[in-house]
Amino acid sequence: MAKEKGRKLIAQNKKARHDYLIIDTYEAGLVLTGTEVKSLRQGRASLVDGFVQLTDHEAWLHNVHVPEYSQGTWTNHSARRKRKLLLHREEIDKLEAKSQETGHTIVPLALYFKDGRAKVEIALAKGKKEYDKRQTLREKQDRREAERAISAVRRKQRA
């Protein structure tokens, strides 16, 4: 059997990028059961309400929804169980120190397979206020309008 290569995206948390200012990102492995892996291979997961909690110098992923495997038996997993994250000790210590600061949290951004292994991209983030969200949206729209105007001018120059 051929080994998988590259990165296969399973789920993305677009809401996190809207609600939080991303400070730093990390890639972590996941401790999963067999039925969870099979369910993820079918491309089924949701990171919307997910967050990372650090307890006893270990990182745990909470509220990530991995639906039960359809062909699973009584050994099937529970959909919203907490899952251990595999990170280096230095990364955990750094995250622990930074997440103690006011307004900082750790959120999952993406869930994917990398060379056949399940990985999650987590981010140290700071919550945005409502006016920050509006400002970010405005900047994004302005950038898009500027790109459209530039491409329209280039099209006219070619014609």
Side-chain angles (χ1 to χ4, degrees), residues 9-138:
L9 187 67
I10 300 165
Q12 225 175 359
N13 190 356
K14 292 181 181 178
K15 190 176 180 198
R17 293 195 186 273
H18 179 265
D19 291 342
Y20 299 99
L21 174 67
I22 307 301
I23 298 168
D24 202 4
T25 61
Y26 299 89
E27 180 180 72
L30 279 165
V31 177
L32 300 171
T33 63
T35 55
E36 286 175 319
V37 175
K38 289 182 178 208
S39 185
L40 289 177
R41 290 216 183 274
Q42 291 178 340
R44 302 168 59 209
S46 173
L47 298 172
V48 175
D49 296 327
F51 64 95
V52 175
Q53 191 171 32
L54 299 167
T55 51
D56 299 330
H57 300 293
E58 291 182 336
W60 294 88
L61 185 63
H62 293 267
N63 276 359
V64 170
H65 187 265
V66 178
E68 290 185 349
Y69 181 55
S70 55
Q71 275 88 47
T73 59
W74 58 272
T75 58
N76 227 333
H77 64 280
S78 96
R80 287 204 184 263
R81 76 176 188 91
K82 67 179 188 174
R83 295 164 180 91
K84 187 175 181 178
L85 295 178
L86 304 172
L87 288 162
H88 291 283
R89 172 67 52 217
E90 308 88 57
E91 292 175 329
I92 292 175
D93 292 341
K94 195 182 294 184
L95 280 170
E96 211 163 11
K98 292 280 190 177
S99 67
Q100 298 300 321
E101 295 177 22
T102 308
H104 287 80
T105 187
I106 306 167
V107 293
L109 297 178
L111 187 61
Y112 53 91
F113 282 106
K114 182 178 177 184
D115 297 334
R117 299 189 189 275
K119 303 281 185 181
V120 64
E121 182 181 16
I122 60 173
L124 179 67
K126 185 173 172 120
K128 284 185 184 177
K129 302 277 190 241
E130 197 63 38
Y131 57 84
D132 288 334
K133 294 177 191 177
R134 284 194 297 266
Q135 180 66 29
T136 305
L137 255 167
R138 194 172 301 119

Side-chain angles (χ1 to χ4, degrees), residues 148-159:
R148 282 186 187 142
I150 291 170
S151 64
V153 168
R154 287 183 180 155
R155 266 190 256 118
K156 285 181 182 178
Q157 287 177 348
R158 279 189 248 145

